[in-house]
Amino acid sequence: MSFRKVVRQSKFRHVFGQPLKTEQCYDDIRVSRVTWDSTFCAVNPSFVAIIVEASGGGAFLVLPLHKTGRIDKSYPTVCGHTGPVLDIEWCPHNDRVIASGSEDCTVMVWQIPEGGLTQPLTEPEVVLEGHSKRVGIVSWHPTARNVLLSAGCDNVVLIWNVGTAEELYRLDGLHPDLIYSVSWSRDGARFCTACKDKSVRVIDPRRGTVLAEKERAHEGARPMRAIFLADGKIFTTGFSRMS
């Protein structure tokens, strides 16, 4: 008679997390409740940025990493967008530069003061206008300075020269539906996208062509994500048909 194992083997079975103390956490932050599939936050070695609820436009907090505890409701925000902010990302080449995409169809690039904000920041360094619908994804090029990618609900991917506020490449017609995620390869030569049509694509931005496409990467209709790994493989997450 064979006995079935009651407990399955797992190397994580006896691993326990230790919650941080309250004073080491960020408390009383009203995170945005916009219905968009985004992380709503971004972090670098100096600051953490969090998209927050804002009346009459869009805003996000920028906090020095050491400023933990309860955050006062009157703490200054970055608040130049006229619609809710949907995505933010720090520049990998400068810890004080951050890009934001918004429902107002614009991308804005901001310079954060040395020690953080002491008053609301309303004037961006650069405003990038080229999308006809809301901008849900912003992503900096990993190796080239001043190169930023944005993807909007118009199913268009734009690659910008932030220094001159010019479009470098406009990739239109490659996606028949909403783009869920974009991820650059480590060398920045390609990027992969996950789309609402359930396909994952690898795109060469200079040629504006799809190098590879995986149809029905996940069966489910809910949003999926795809990211480039260091070895060039692509890692995806999604849902089964039964969610």
Side-chain angles (χ1 to χ4, degrees):
M1 182 178 176
S2 64
F3 288 94
R4 214 162 37 87
K5 284 184 181 176
V6 178
V7 180
R8 67 185 177 86
Q9 289 293 316
S10 170
K11 59 187 174 183
F12 301 112
R13 219 176 113 203
H14 302 294
V15 175
F16 301 97
Q18 185 68 42
L20 285 173
K21 295 173 182 168
T22 308
E23 60 268 19
Q24 294 173 291
C25 299
Y26 302 96
D27 195 20
D28 208 17
I29 295 174
R30 294 163 298 150
V31 179
S32 174
R33 288 190 294 226
V34 174
T35 54
W36 183 252
D37 191 44
S38 165
T39 55
F40 290 132
C41 68
V43 67
N44 70 12
S46 305
F47 300 102
V48 58
I50 303 163
I51 302 173
V52 293
E53 287 277 293
S55 55
F60 58 94
L61 278 173
V62 174
L63 303 169
L65 290 184
H66 59 79
K67 185 174 173 54
T68 53
R70 186 176 173 277
I71 307 301
D72 196 281
K73 284 186 170 60
S74 62
Y75 194 87
T77 58
V78 180
C79 51
H81 285 288
T82 56
V85 178
L86 301 178
D87 195 25
I88 47 177
E89 185 170 281
W90 290 103
C91 175
H93 309 292
N94 187 334
D95 283 351
R96 288 170 47 210
V97 172
I98 188 169
S100 58
S102 166
E103 272 192 16
D104 64 11
C105 307
T106 66
V107 176
M108 293 185 180
V109 178
W110 310 84
Q111 178 100 19
I112 305 300
E114 188 90 38
L117 297 177
T118 54
Q119 58 187 29
L121 184 59
T122 57
E123 290 298 320
E125 294 292 309
V126 184
V127 180
L128 306 173
E129 296 178 300
H131 288 284
S132 59
K133 292 185 180 177
R134 60 184 182 166
V135 182
I137 298 168
V138 288
S139 181
W140 291 95
H141 194 282
T143 57
R145 282 180 176 272
N146 285 343
V147 176
L148 178 69
L149 178 152
S150 64
C153 293
D154 49 9
N155 311 335
V156 174
V157 176
L158 295 178
I159 297 173
W160 304 89
N161 180 339
V162 172
T164 59
E166 292 175 320
E167 282 182 25
L168 293 175
Y169 304 103
R170 172 177 283 264
L171 307 176
D172 200 351
L174 300 182
H175 299 88
D177 215 326
L178 185 67
I179 301 164
Y180 284 140
S181 76
V182 174
S183 174
W184 287 99
S185 60
R186 288 296 172 95
D187 60 3
R190 302 159 294 156
F191 62 84
C192 68
T193 62
C195 181
K196 194 175 180 179
D197 69 351
K198 301 182 184 177
S199 287
V200 173
R201 295 172 176 85
V202 178
I203 294 169
D204 181 337
R206 292 182 182 86
R207 295 180 185 165
T209 56
V210 177
L211 300 176
E213 183 174 350
K214 169 69 175 171
E215 295 179 3
R216 303 190 79 79
H218 295 274
E219 290 290 328
R222 296 178 68 184
M224 63 178 180
R225 296 241 164 185
I227 61 168
F228 255 113
L229 303 181
D231 61 2
K233 291 192 175 84
I234 293 172
F235 180 85
T236 69
T237 59
F239 292 84
S240 68
R241 193 173 288 165
M242 305 298 289
S243 289

